[in-house]
Amino acid sequence: MNLDRRRSLQPSDRLARALGWLGIGLGLYQLLAPRSVTRSLGVEGAEAIVRTCGARGLATGMGALSVNPKQALWARSVGDVMDLAALLALLADRDHPKRGSVKLALAGVGACAAASLYCAQAQTRRHAYQGGRTPDYRGRSGFPRGLEHARGAAATRSGLPSRPMALPSPAHSPGPRFQTTPSRQRDTSGYTKGSDYDY
Amino acid sequence: MKALCWHGKNDIRYETVPDPRIEDARDAIVNVSSCAICGSDLHLFHHFIPAMESGDVVGHEFMGEVMEVGAETRDLKVGDRVVVPFTITCGECEQCRRGNFSLCERSNRNKALADKVFGHAGAGLFGYSHLTGGYAGGQAEYVRVPFADQTHVKVPDGLTDEQVLFLGDIFPTGWQAAVQCDIEPSDTVAIWGAGPVGQFCVRSAVLLGAEQVVVIDNVPERLAMAEAGGAIAINFDEESVLARLQELTRGKGPEKCIDAVGLESHVPRSLDSVYDRFKQAMMLESDRAHVLREMIYVCRPGGILSIPGVYGGLIDKVPMGPLMNKALTVRTGQTHVKRWTDELLGLIEEGQIDPSFVVTHSAGLEQGPDMYNTFRDKQDGCVKVVLKP
């Protein structure tokens, strides 16, 4: 199959998906193994905070995979900025035992924050709900003879084969039908309470 | 040939695919002159409909010229100009003979699969998942039409494509929704959703003589279009739907309610919408039911709920208590297109209605993927997109 590259999914959509899955993966890791995170960053005892960050990442990650991810991406960007602030605070402590790990985390979170911000902006432009020119449709009645002429016009129109047959019911169906079987239609001699005749 | 193919969530591509060919004596090949993006195509686009496969050709609203026929297509001839109903009908099974064309017992070639999911299968549909037969859709240059001797509506040359194209789906869908309401001259008909089907529900209810037609949405230009067609508009972003409907019906509620929204209903700042979105994200329900809940709540006791909006699977928190205690009647189903097309074509020919009013965007098929996004996000006042292969 020769692919033509005209497609609805744009690079920012694919980036949103990647960020979504990344957020879900990291969120689960933080939720399930918070001690590993706190140990590597030298902040033992802060497991509850790590779990909260994990839940946040999970939520924004799922949102980034939704039909309209822009709100989740903005939320994720705010979260990333908060994470950056926390990591910078750790880095400010020159005696911090895991400065190397913190620097590494800072680089990773910084890259994710930049990607999130870029993607949130792109998705906001892309999903500009009701954006663009707002036309005036007040002249589009759809009734060439005017609205007043149309009111009830079909209700009084003759020769309507379809109208009364709105329901999928044999009693109101058009066209030739299968005959109901004599035993079901007429013969009720075998009737007992609780049979098919009791509706 | 070129066609629009589904490749996953939000991923529609304009691609080259093999040309269709006659596979059965009752087949025909239609050279598509116009096709449309339907609101229910967005459910595929968002991947809420199961059993789609990568590469499936989408689209179920199309028309064109017959370019090839099988040996048993009766009066359908090469060169005929036809609109193709989205429900494929054999015309011979018990359901077809009763006029229940969307329940055709023979046209769904994946009946066993659909039986497992739905209990009993409905008709085969064009371009709408393998649950409904896995037939290639109409957003393409050519389409194979099975049971073509039955699955077509011949249209006269004097009418434009835009005037007759919607006979294949949204016009009869809106019409059936209104007919199912058994509209009486004193009725208030409330319609949720001012999208393309909602617009035709409005026009149908007006033509059928409802005293009041009310439409509920939050897109200003769509509400304006519905008002032009004779509806009273309620913008749910600006006012309470419940309070306004009470006011319009002297506190009694509308007798007839139509859900022209379906499985993706959502209202910002509504608790149940947040609940539905969460459950949907957690895969604990497949469809969102805000409109259904609201309809059941506001409908007048003894009233009718008509549901043309597409639902695909499971919903949660449906208020069965009010539904039962208010003795509401629920009528729904895919559209029995062929049951209504003679009458609707007659209305168009008489000049009672011109369905082209709903077309806001027209583009080449190659722009289809972009048009899906435009339609989904309601950009540039998009209400209905017609594509020209």
Side-chain angles (χ1 to χ4, degrees):
Chain A
M1 185 184 290
N2 298 320
L3 271 188
D4 189 308
R5 290 297 165 192
R6 274 170 275 200
R7 53 197 291 183
S8 60
L9 209 61
Q10 297 301 312
S12 70
D13 298 318
R14 289 193 284 276
L15 179 58
R17 280 189 189 181
L19 287 169
W21 285 116
L22 181 69
I24 289 171
L26 284 175
L28 283 173
Y29 179 63
Q30 288 172 311
L31 272 174
L32 299 175
R35 197 157 298 167
S36 162
V37 178
T38 54
R39 255 202 315 268
S40 63
L41 292 175
V43 288
E44 287 85 350
E47 283 78 14
I49 295 173
V50 171
R51 278 203 187 94
T52 307
C53 291
R56 185 197 70 204
L58 201 60
T60 56
M62 286 169 63
L65 295 177
S66 70
V67 168
N68 186 348
K70 66 182 179 189
Q71 285 170 334
L73 288 167
W74 281 116
R76 191 205 146 92
S77 302
V78 171
D80 284 345
V81 169
M82 287 164 60
D83 291 349
L84 281 175
L87 290 168
L88 282 170
L90 288 180
L91 207 60
D93 178 3
R94 296 199 172 276
D95 298 328
H96 191 75
K98 298 281 177 74
R99 280 177 66 85
S101 299
V102 172
K103 281 180 183 171
L104 202 63
L106 201 59
V109 173
C112 285
S116 287
L117 273 169
Y118 164 78
C119 195
Q121 285 175 336
Q123 286 290 304
T124 300
R125 282 195 299 274
R126 184 161 163 67
H127 290 286
Y129 185 69
Q130 295 181 38
R133 182 180 58 93
T134 304
D136 182 0
Y137 294 142
R138 283 176 295 181
R140 292 188 177 224
S141 77
F143 299 125
R145 299 183 185 181
L147 177 58
E148 289 315 310
H149 183 275
R151 288 192 190 278
T156 55
R157 191 168 174 268
S158 60
L160 303 173
S162 61
R163 183 77 46 70
M165 300 74 154
L167 291 174
S169 155
H172 297 289
S173 296
R177 300 193 300 274
F178 289 120
Q179 293 296 312
T180 50
T181 59
S183 61
R184 187 170 173 82
Q185 191 174 35
R186 299 188 195 93
D187 180 13
T188 57
S189 58
Y191 167 75
T192 52
K193 189 161 178 58
S195 74
D196 284 351
Y197 294 102
D198 280 340
Y199 290 105
Chain B
M1 69 165 182
K2 293 291 188 182
L4 299 189
C5 301
W6 183 93
H7 283 276
K9 190 163 157 183
N10 290 350
D11 193 356
I12 299 284
R13 302 177 197 171
Y14 176 71
E15 291 182 340
T16 301
V17 298
D19 285 359
R21 56 183 180 78
I22 298 285
E23 296 176 17
D24 183 271
R26 293 177 69 181
D27 285 356
I29 305 295
V30 170
N31 182 359
V32 178
S33 58
S34 295
C35 55
I37 303 176
C38 181
S40 56
D41 286 329
L42 292 182
H43 303 322
L44 299 177
F45 190 46
H46 297 157
H47 202 182
F48 286 120
I49 302 295
M52 288 294 288
E53 292 177 11
S54 187
D56 283 349
V57 178
V58 291
H60 55 267
E61 209 169 15
F62 60 99
M63 64 174 294
E65 186 180 307
V66 176
M67 60 177 286
E68 194 179 346
V69 292
E72 296 173 21
T73 53
R74 302 182 198 183
D75 66 334
L76 188 66
K77 303 281 188 301
V78 171
D80 284 345
R81 185 174 180 236
V82 293
V83 171
V84 181
F86 77 99
T87 43
I88 303 167
T89 55
C90 75
E92 294 169 345
C93 71
E94 183 176 349
Q95 293 285 10
C96 282
R97 291 169 70 184
R98 288 178 171 177
N100 301 330
F101 298 111
S102 76
L103 305 175
C104 175
E105 294 169 336
R106 293 171 60 192
S107 60
N108 188 341
R109 60 187 175 184
N110 292 335
K111 188 175 184 309
L113 176 65
D115 281 348
K116 281 182 185 160
V117 177
F118 294 135
H120 297 282
L125 310 179
F126 289 99
Y128 214 75
S129 90
H130 291 259
L131 268 182
T132 61
Y135 293 101
Q139 286 164 11
E141 289 180 300
Y142 309 104
V143 184
R144 170 187 163 239
V145 179
F147 299 107
D149 55 309
Q150 296 291 325
T151 310
H152 73 269
V153 180
K154 286 187 186 176
V155 288
D157 289 336
L159 297 168
T160 64
D161 277 13
E162 285 73 11
Q163 285 178 299
V164 292
L165 171 62
F166 307 125
L167 284 171
D169 183 353
I170 57 172
F171 189 10
T173 296
W175 180 260
Q176 178 173 302
V179 170
Q180 284 180 158
C181 285
D182 288 341
I183 290 172
E184 294 175 24
S186 58
D187 279 348
T188 294
V189 180
I191 298 159
W192 276 256
V197 168
Q199 298 291 342
F200 279 105
C201 289
V202 168
R203 271 69 179 179
S204 300
V206 166
L207 284 165
L208 290 168
E211 181 181 285
Q212 281 190 126
V213 180
V214 185
V215 71
I216 298 142
D217 205 305
N218 71 337
V219 183
E221 59 270 23
R222 292 184 174 203
L223 289 170
M225 186 185 275
E227 283 180 313
I232 298 165
I234 298 179
N235 186 331
F236 61 72
D237 277 349
E238 296 174 356
E239 57 185 327
S240 160
V241 174
L242 273 57
R244 187 75 198 286
L245 284 174
Q246 289 289 83
E247 176 197 326
L248 288 168
T249 57
R250 298 172 298 282
K252 289 177 175 292
E255 291 92 343
K256 311 291 162 62
C257 298
I258 297 176
D259 173 1
V261 178
L263 66 91
E264 291 190 65
S265 66
H266 61 97
V267 176
R269 299 176 296 281
S270 153
L271 192 62
D272 72 326
S273 283
V274 175
Y275 171 82
D276 280 336
R277 277 182 179 267
F278 176 76
K279 285 205 74 170
Q280 206 173 38
M282 300 300 288
M283 297 185 181
L284 296 172
E285 68 174 358
S286 59
D287 305 355
R288 304 195 291 256
H290 173 81
V291 167
L292 283 178
R293 296 185 194 111
E294 196 161 80
M295 288 204 318
I296 292 170
Y297 190 75
V298 303
C299 190
R300 187 177 299 196
I304 294 174
L305 310 179
S306 177
I307 308 172
V310 170
Y311 286 84
L314 305 172
I315 54 175
D316 192 12
K317 300 288 181 289
V318 175
M320 279 305 292
L323 183 76
M324 184 270 168
N325 284 285
K326 288 162 72 175
L328 303 180
T329 298
V330 178
R331 291 174 181 166
T332 183
Q334 298 282 5
T335 310
H336 308 303
V337 177
K338 285 275 283 184
R339 194 193 282 193
W340 317 112
T341 44
D342 285 352
E343 182 173 1
L344 297 182
L345 184 57
L347 288 172
I348 296 169
E349 288 181 305
E350 288 169 15
Q352 300 283 8
I353 185 166
D354 180 355
S356 64
F357 77 89
V358 80
V359 180
T360 55
H361 288 62
S362 192
L365 186 65
E366 72 282 1
Q367 294 176 54
D370 263 355
M371 283 292 123
Y372 265 86
N373 286 319
T374 302
F375 183 39
R376 186 262 310 278
D377 291 328
K378 302 174 178 64
Q379 292 175 345
D380 300 325
C382 186
V383 179
K384 188 70 179 176
V385 179
V386 172
L387 300 171
K388 303 283 186 178

